[in-house]
Amino acid sequence: MSAVRTVLTLAGLTLREAARRKVLRSLAVLTVLLLALSAWGFSRLDAEFGGLTSGEARLAASTVLNLVMFGFSLIAALGTAFLAGPTLSGEVESGTALAMLARPVRRSTVLVGKWLGLVAFGSAFVALAGLAQFVVVQVTVGYWPPRPVAGLALLAAQTAVLLTLGLLLSTVISPMASGVVAVGLFGATWIAGVVGGIGDALGNEGVARVGAVSRMLLPTDGLWRGAMNAFQDPSLLTQFAPDLGGSPFFSEAPLTAAYLGWAALWVAVVLGLAGMAFSRRDL
């Protein structure tokens, strides 16, 4: 019970520390800017493409919403990746971790507490920013995604995957380098997913396998595709799926339970590796 209390205390302290960092202000500015730009863009859909049928209007709204939500996922990725490094590695370099671990607190407890605080921070950002975007879309074009809670939960899971990777990297390299590498891998996985989608559309199994393998090695793109599917109108899958094959902002199928289980196992394994690396690191 004392270990659980310590983990929760550390999670609360990490959440409070994250809220005071300059990264939070940067995230807020980027979020407000993206909301404003998307509101203007959605309001111009009808003016620029007048005469759209109801199905075409829903297709446009759904596609642009996925594009904007990818922007939010990228903002969340940048924020959490660059928060994860300083939260652990930065404290080691400054000597703060040594003062904390001088008490009878296990390193694994510190790591899990910080991870939990960062997951709470990233999930709260995704929920607030996502709901704000849904309101913007509803007000401007009258579209509301069919499964908003499931989609936001998958985006929060994507954030958790990336910050877990960032924590692992921060145990072996500098805080800045860990953020750069994590975001670089996030982008590379997304590009590999786009390449794989094009391979699926063309019937090229070798190219399609690139996306499948990348989604197993780093589940961020797989979770993102599940979120896209949750934000799409179901009727679009039957009406326009053949025309949208290979689109980076269209997902034909929801995630399977097996893949969600793999993503959870991936997080557990990487967090365990981070704990092992942190326990052997000289302070």
Side-chain angles (χ1 to χ4, degrees):
M1 185 63 68
S2 60
V4 174
R5 190 181 299 113
T6 302
V7 167
L8 294 177
T9 300
L10 289 168
L13 291 174
T14 301
L15 189 59
R16 193 180 311 167
E17 178 189 359
R20 291 198 301 263
R21 289 185 178 273
K22 293 181 180 180
V23 173
L24 179 61
R25 279 172 277 177
S26 301
L27 289 177
V29 171
L30 290 172
T31 300
V32 172
L33 182 61
L34 186 54
L35 285 171
L37 289 174
S38 67
W40 177 81
F42 277 107
S43 68
R44 296 294 301 170
L45 277 178
D46 186 60
E48 296 294 334
F49 303 98
L52 292 177
T53 65
S54 60
E56 291 171 339
R58 294 182 71 83
L59 170 63
S62 177
T63 303
V64 177
L65 175 61
N66 278 344
L67 172 62
V68 175
M69 293 307 294
F70 178 75
F72 281 119
S73 73
L74 180 59
I75 292 173
L78 288 169
T80 54
F82 284 99
L83 275 174
T87 298
L88 190 63
S89 184
E91 291 186 356
V92 171
E93 293 180 357
S94 65
T96 304
L98 183 60
M100 184 190 311
L101 293 171
R103 299 177 176 84
V105 179
R106 299 179 61 182
R107 295 191 185 188
S108 59
T109 302
V110 173
L111 181 70
V112 172
K114 290 186 174 296
W115 177 84
L116 188 61
L118 290 172
V119 168
F121 177 84
S123 300
F125 169 79
V126 167
L128 293 175
L131 287 174
Q133 183 59 57
F134 296 158
V135 171
V136 167
V137 178
Q138 176 65 33
V139 170
T140 53
V141 295
Y143 178 78
W144 189 264
R147 293 181 290 133
V149 175
L152 292 178
L154 289 172
L155 286 185
Q158 179 195 55
T159 303
V161 166
L162 196 63
L163 69 86
T164 306
L165 175 63
L167 280 178
L168 172 61
L169 293 171
S170 71
T171 61
V172 293
I173 57 179
S174 68
M176 180 61 71
S178 65
V180 170
V181 173
V183 173
L185 291 174
F186 170 84
T189 303
W190 182 76
I191 293 173
V194 173
V195 172
I198 295 173
D200 282 328
L202 297 177
N204 189 318
E205 294 185 3
V207 176
R209 196 174 297 117
V210 172
V213 172
S214 68
R215 285 191 286 272
M216 296 301 292
L217 294 177
L218 182 61
T220 51
D221 184 63
L223 294 170
W224 159 243
R225 290 181 176 275
M228 282 198 298
N229 185 267
F231 297 145
Q232 292 167 178
D233 188 278
S235 63
L236 301 180
L237 297 175
T238 56
Q239 296 179 27
F240 301 101
D243 300 325
L244 294 173
S247 171
F249 302 109
F250 180 79
S251 179
E252 295 187 16
L255 294 182
T256 64
Y259 188 82
L260 292 174
W262 164 250
L265 177 62
W266 189 96
V267 169
V269 170
V270 173
L271 188 61
L273 292 174
M276 292 174 56
F278 187 47
S279 65
R280 297 176 180 177
R281 180 166 180 173
D282 293 331
L283 301 180

